Amino acid sequence: MDNLKIKSCPFCGLPALLEIDNDHHGDFHSLGCSDKKCIGHHVIYTEGDKTIQESVKTWNTRSLK
């Protein structure tokens, strides 16, 4: 997973933030802008239905059109 290349935020240009955690529902991860005030913060949130690699691919190929 160290070799994942995550693009910066398309809205503000700051680095993206991938958070991996778990709770009583199980494993989950979120991916979005590292700036909590940015509209791109936590764009992707999943509870195990999408792999981290799939989430990164989705984030990296999103369209701003």
Side-chain angles (χ1 to χ4, degrees):
M1 202 167 20
D2 292 334
N3 60 352
L4 291 176
K5 302 291 184 206
I6 303 174
K7 292 183 178 180
S8 60
C9 178
F11 300 102
C12 70
L14 288 175
L17 177 64
L18 173 63
E19 296 180 305
I20 303 167
D21 208 345
N22 61 55
D23 62 14
H24 64 280
H25 295 290
D27 294 338
F28 66 89
H29 62 274
S30 62
L31 176 59
C33 183
S34 57
D35 183 353
K36 292 182 180 180
K37 296 178 183 176
C38 180
I39 193 171
H41 186 65
H42 291 304
V43 169
I44 298 172
Y45 174 82
T46 181
E47 286 184 11
D49 58 338
K50 185 178 264 192
T51 67
I52 293 170
Q53 290 79 4
E54 290 171 326
S55 293
V56 170
K57 183 178 179 183
T58 300
W59 172 262
N60 285 345
T61 59
R62 76 273 186 217
S63 175
L64 296 177
K65 296 178 183 178

